[in-house]
Amino acid sequence: MTHPLLDLPPLTARRFAAIEDRVARLLETRQDVLITQGEALLPLEGAIRAAAGPGTVALNVITGPYGQTFGDWLRDAGATVYDISVPFHTAVRAEQIRAAFAEHPEIDFVSLVHAEAATGNTNPVAEIGEAVREQGALFYLDAVASVGAEPVLPDAWGVDLCVIGAQKAMGGPAGVSAISVSERAWARMAANPNAPRRSYLSLLDWKERWLDAGRRALPHAPAQLEMLALDACLERIEAAGLDTVTARHRRAAEATRAGASALGGGLEPYVHDAADAAPVATTLRVPSSLAASGLVAAALAADPALPLAAGGGALAKEMIRVNHYGPDATESAVQASLAALGTALAAQGATVDPAAARQAVEQAWR
């Protein structure tokens, strides 16, 4: 039996390198770019364990669950960690970062999530990057959810370690990811005796065996289908234009907020200020008398393809997430999601106005 996906010629080192170059163009970066053969948690953890260790003093920003995870990894690596936690319905401010530096001038590493799809907020990385540059700290950024939905510019923002994944706004595969690495980040890793070596987490192994060797021979067999899917989604973004793709996500977020507010039934945006709301996904708060997980289950029972999810963990009762990213960053997906939520709310006795919601979405999309 033959199959076009099973009988492909091997992926060459030249093709692999060309896909890395495409990622670099997407990020407008001149830093080294590595495509790692696994979901984005691989380079996210690998970068922290390579660049941080005993003697590192880290400022870890928590605006959602991933920020909490990064703090755990930093502590596991032996770093001294100071956390900034802000309510999940808002974003961190550059002034808060500067205040932390003033209180702890020894900070030399900053970890931040750009957009938290899980909580629906996004952080002002350009302004924060300016503060981090003033401090001289190494800047680590999780841009997995934001890339493709809003600008991600490691060079312009002074980001030393920028991790992206393709499975959200880029509309690509989940099984490969990428990281851009500055020269001073490589130097920090090389000076860290605890940086992973001879390990799947090792970025230094990839640097030595791939980048420093001229990208002529792959260190191991690549995830061929995932790499081809990544190349295809990058090609699609280039053809549409990155500005067009990000504008589509921004309109989806604006339309979802407007439509949810017009729908009624006690549904309202979870992130208070629209300026703090992530274009990749919109989170909605439900009335305290209802359970978000139950409303989502009812909506998905009617249409399992809707891009809806309840919040994770403790947020499962109060938060609904509309994942309008990638192929779902469309007016039709937003309209269908709000219509289904309206039906679920009405079934619970809430008063809703589906016509007003439809009109609000249409007006926001123009």
Side-chain angles (χ1 to χ4, degrees):
M1 179 181 293
T2 62
H3 192 285
L5 297 181
L6 298 178
D7 300 296
L8 294 167
L11 190 74
T12 65
R14 183 176 181 180
R15 180 75 179 276
F16 194 104
I19 300 171
E20 287 183 332
D21 292 342
R22 255 190 164 148
V23 173
R25 290 195 297 273
L26 176 73
L27 300 178
E28 297 183 28
T29 184
R30 300 182 68 181
Q31 297 178 4
D32 288 329
V33 169
L34 285 173
I35 296 178
T36 49
Q37 303 295 282
E39 200 270 340
L41 284 172
L42 171 64
L44 285 169
E45 182 175 359
I48 281 182
R49 296 195 182 278
T56 300
V57 182
L59 178 66
N60 180 53
V61 181
I62 301 175
T63 57
Y66 281 99
Q68 294 170 330
T69 297
F70 300 158
D72 292 339
W73 286 341
L74 285 162
R75 291 181 176 90
D76 288 347
T80 299
V81 183
Y82 298 104
D83 290 321
I84 291 181
S85 297
V86 302
F88 290 174
H89 62 254
T90 187
V92 72
R93 308 297 176 205
E95 295 76 29
Q96 295 171 278
I97 303 296
R98 288 191 171 92
F101 291 155
E103 186 176 357
H104 302 287
E106 70 275 22
I107 289 171
D108 62 2
F109 186 99
V110 175
S111 52
L112 176 72
V113 179
H114 187 183
E116 288 267 13
T119 50
N121 54 27
T122 192
N123 291 301
V125 182
E127 291 86 348
I128 292 169
E130 184 177 347
V132 175
R133 282 196 299 273
E134 294 167 2
Q135 177 72 4
L138 205 71
F139 193 8
Y140 163 102
L141 184 70
D142 171 357
V144 174
S146 56
V147 65
E150 54 188 306
V152 176
L153 302 168
D155 293 9
W157 296 342
V159 178
D160 297 286
L161 295 159
C162 182
V163 176
I164 68 167
Q167 69 268 33
K168 288 188 169 66
M170 290 176 65
V176 290
S177 46
I179 180 170
S180 66
V181 186
S182 72
E183 286 298 325
R184 66 189 202 128
W186 284 128
R188 181 80 68 96
M189 294 181 202
N192 179 9
N194 294 333
R197 301 305 302 263
R198 296 168 297 282
S199 163
Y200 203 61
L201 286 175
S202 179
L203 298 179
L204 286 172
D205 287 356
W206 265 98
K207 180 180 188 300
E208 292 181 1
R209 298 176 61 191
W210 173 242
L211 295 177
D212 293 350
R215 300 195 299 179
R216 289 189 293 269
L218 287 163
H220 55 69
Q224 171 148 318
L225 297 182
E226 297 279 358
M227 287 295 295
L228 294 176
L230 175 61
D231 197 24
C233 90
L234 289 163
E235 182 179 19
R236 186 166 57 189
I237 291 170
E238 290 173 0
L242 182 58
D243 290 345
T244 298
V245 175
T246 56
R248 183 161 49 85
H249 284 83
R250 185 173 61 253
R251 285 198 300 273
E254 293 168 352
T256 303
R257 286 179 70 89
S261 297
L263 180 63
L267 208 61
E268 59 184 23
Y270 185 86
V271 177
H272 295 179
D273 190 337
D276 295 337
V280 69
T282 297
T283 47
L284 303 171
R285 190 185 301 276
V286 306
S288 58
S289 59
L290 301 176
S293 56
L295 293 172
V296 169
L300 293 179
D303 184 354
L306 291 173
L308 295 172
L315 297 175
K317 181 173 188 334
E318 63 178 315
M319 179 194 287
I320 291 172
R321 193 169 74 240
V322 184
N323 295 317
H324 45 65
Y325 53 69
D328 289 317
T330 63
E331 182 180 356
S332 61
V334 172
Q335 291 281 23
S337 296
L338 293 176
L341 290 175
T343 300
L345 284 163
Q348 295 295 317
T351 300
V352 295
D353 191 343
R358 285 195 301 272
Q359 184 176 15
V361 170
E362 289 171 0
Q363 290 177 345
W365 202 270
R366 292 173 185 166

